[in-house]
Amino acid sequence: MASHRHILLINGPNLNLLGSREPQIYGSTTLHDIEQAAQTQASSLGLRLTTFQSNHEGAIIDRIHQAAGFSPSPPPGAAITTEADPGVGEEKVSAIIINPGAYTHTSVGIRDALLGTSIPFVEVHVSNVHAREAFRHHSYLSDKAVAVICGLGPFGYSAALEFVGRHMKF
């Protein structure tokens, strides 16, 4: 399996609190534990895995853009130039696994970033969002995702990685 099969794992807001946040819903496994297990699994599948977590919608959008080889947005107040910045934006990933957290239910921006880059993605949720509050039942991403996995706890990440590594064609 070629090393060009590069997968980006994105985790959205509050997922950095896994392991301590509402353990009756999310369990006791930390995000670090999930990322370490995913790295081991990715290696066994012949995949290169990069992980990213942010509580900020714009940072997630910028990271999706970078994954497709686009330069990130300049910081607020920075001058915008039309010259290419060598070395910036060269990364290309084959697929994205994303747990958008609360942005699942609110972010047209993340949806548009995923659609605009044409990178296939799998949506993951630790809890069963359909068994929770009504506002969590709608996802702005699900209708465009290759697959949606929810309610499997941390195993959902493993299932997503297995699916990407063994069943998606790049």
Side-chain angles (χ1 to χ4, degrees):
M1 295 182 192
S3 62
H4 70 276
R5 295 181 355 134
H6 183 186
I7 310 305
L8 174 61
L9 172 59
I10 298 174
N11 280 284
N14 300 311
L15 292 164
N16 56 306
L17 300 177
L18 285 175
S20 61
R21 174 188 177 209
E22 300 177 273
Q24 71 280 10
I25 296 173
Y26 300 105
S28 59
T29 305
T30 67
L31 182 58
H32 178 76
D33 294 338
I34 290 168
E35 289 175 340
Q36 291 300 112
Q39 289 289 358
T40 300
Q41 182 182 6
S43 179
S44 73
L45 291 167
L47 302 171
R48 178 176 161 221
L49 181 70
T50 301
T51 63
F52 178 79
Q53 188 279 326
S54 180
N55 295 317
H56 304 282
E57 184 177 23
I60 294 168
I61 292 168
D62 284 345
R63 189 64 187 90
I64 293 166
H65 291 175
Q66 284 180 308
F70 297 105
S71 297
S73 301
I80 299 173
T81 65
T82 56
E83 293 181 30
D85 185 0
V88 174
E90 293 178 3
E91 178 185 25
K92 299 279 196 320
V93 302
S94 304
I96 293 174
I97 297 171
I98 184 168
N99 182 339
Y103 289 135
T104 303
H105 324 291
T106 63
S107 184
V108 174
I110 291 173
R111 175 192 173 95
D112 287 349
L114 289 163
L115 294 177
T117 59
S118 299
I119 299 171
F121 67 96
V122 174
E123 180 181 349
V124 174
H125 298 282
V126 174
S127 69
N128 180 354
V129 294
H130 302 289
R132 298 187 60 198
E133 303 93 339
F135 72 86
R136 296 185 193 274
H137 298 179
H138 175 73
S139 168
Y140 278 98
L141 308 183
S142 294
D143 65 318
K144 300 300 180 183
V146 174
V148 178
I149 300 168
C150 70
L152 299 181
F155 177 72
Y157 290 93
S158 178
L161 201 50
E162 184 78 13
F163 174 76
V164 169
R166 296 197 188 277
H167 302 286
M168 286 181 67
K169 305 296 180 215
F170 304 113

